[in-house]
Amino acid sequence: MLDILIIGGGPIGLACGLAAQKAGLSFLIVEKGTLVNSLYNYPSTMTFFSTSEKLEIGGVPFVTTHNKPNRADALEYYRRVALSNTLPLNLFEEVTEVQHLDGHYKVTTTKAVYEAKYIIVSTGFYDIAVNLDIPGENLPKVKHYYQDPAFYTLQKVIVVGSSNSAIDVALETYRKGADVTLVVRGSEISERVKYWVRPDIINRIKEGSIKAYFNSNLKAIRETEADIETPDGLITIPNDFVMAMTGYKPNFLFLKKIGITLSDDDRYIPQYNKDTMETNLPGMYLAGVVCGGMDTHLWFIENSRIHAEMILDDIVKKEFQTN
C-alpha cells in the first residue's frame, strides 16, 4: 500500500514527488510516456517565456547561462532533478483505471496494479490536440505537433492560429525558406504572444514576407490545396502542409472515467478545493495545468508549482489526524 500514487511525470508531477519525499511518505510516479513527456514533444527550437528561476521545483536551482531556458535546458534540468533525488518513476506505463475502494484507491496500469491511500492527477493538457473539424484534417500533411522548421524548406505551409506556438511555427518555417500563409480567426495577433516575438511577426506580415488572413477560417484541406474563408469570400491556395496550431486539451474522458466532476459548460473545469486541490473524490487531488480545463492559459509551471506543497500539506494533516 503506497501513501501516494502520482499520475503524470511532468514538472508538476515531479514537484509533487519531491514534496512527498520531503514529507517522508511512500509514493510512485507513473507516466505514460517518457520523462516530462510534454516538454519532450515541444518544438526543438522552443524557448520558454519564463526565466529559469520560475521553472525550478523542489528548491533545486535551475542554472542556465542565458536568461530564458530552451527545451534542451529544461529536459536536462528535470532529468537531473528526478535522477539525483532518486524519485521512484515508472515510465511508459499508462494508467487505465482508478477504483475508489474503502478508504483507498486501486490503480490499474498497462503493466501492473497498485493500491494507494491518495492519488495526485498531474496529467497536463498537451496530449490531445483541439481539432479543426473540417474536411481533409486527417490527411498526413496536416500536423498538430511541430518539431523542426528545416523539414518545411521550400514548402507551401499554412499555419492556423495566432498564439505563441502558431507564431513560432510561422516565423521559424519562413526563415527556413517556406512560403507561409497564416490563418487567424481573430482580427489581430494574440496579445499573449511573447513580447519579443510579437513585433517580429507583425513586421513580417506588414512587409509581405508572411501572408496573413485575419477574421478567417480554414474550411477544407486537399492533397495539393486548401480553402480559406475570408471576409472577402472563399479562396483556394496551393498547399503542401497545414500546421494546425489550434491548441491542446486535457484528457477529459480519463478524468470523467476516474470519477472527477467537470463543469457543465464548454470549459470542462474539474471540481477541486482551491485551498487543498482535493477533487470531489476524497483523497484524490489535481495538480498543474490540468486544473484549468479548456482554459489552458491559466496555469503554467511557474504558478502551479505551489500545488505540490498545498496537496502535501493537506495529506500530511490528514495522516496526522488519522494516526
Side-chain angles (χ1 to χ4, degrees), residues 52-119:
S52 57
E53 291 87 350
K54 293 183 178 180
L55 300 176
E56 292 175 354
I57 58 173
V60 181
F62 186 175
V63 180
T64 59
T65 57
H66 36 275
N67 187 38
K68 297 184 184 299
N70 57 34
R71 170 184 173 272
D73 294 328
L75 289 176
E76 181 62 12
Y77 169 71
Y78 293 117
R79 183 188 71 83
R80 291 294 298 270
V81 168
L83 270 59
S84 63
N85 287 278
T86 59
L87 296 179
L89 277 158
N90 284 6
L91 303 177
F92 300 101
E93 181 172 350
E94 184 174 2
V95 173
T96 57
E97 188 176 5
V98 179
Q99 295 173 273
H100 187 196
L101 304 179
D102 185 20
H104 70 283
Y105 289 92
K106 179 181 178 182
V107 179
T108 303
T109 74
T110 50
K111 295 182 178 180
V113 177
Y114 308 96
E115 294 191 2
K117 297 178 188 176
Y118 305 98
I119 302 291

Side-chain angles (χ1 to χ4, degrees), residues 42-56:
Y42 281 178
S44 59
T45 54
M46 184 262 190
T47 298
F48 282 87
F49 192 102
S50 307
T51 59
S52 57
E53 291 87 350
K54 293 183 178 180
L55 300 176
E56 292 175 354

Side-chain angles (χ1 to χ4, degrees), residues 232-292:
D232 297 323
L234 190 70
I235 65 168
T236 299
I237 65 172
N239 171 252
D240 297 309
F241 289 97
V242 172
M243 307 302 294
M245 313 311 290
T246 47
Y248 309 93
K249 60 185 179 180
N251 190 337
F252 295 121
L253 289 178
F254 175 74
L255 296 180
K256 287 181 181 178
K257 181 180 178 181
I258 64 177
I260 294 176
T261 300
L262 306 178
S263 63
D264 293 330
D265 54 23
D266 57 2
R267 297 165 68 197
Y268 303 112
I269 295 177
Q271 180 179 318
Y272 65 93
N273 183 322
K274 290 179 173 55
D275 295 322
T276 65
M277 308 308 295
E278 188 172 24
T279 68
N280 54 287
L281 296 171
M284 183 178 290
Y285 298 83
L286 291 178
V289 295
V290 70
C291 301

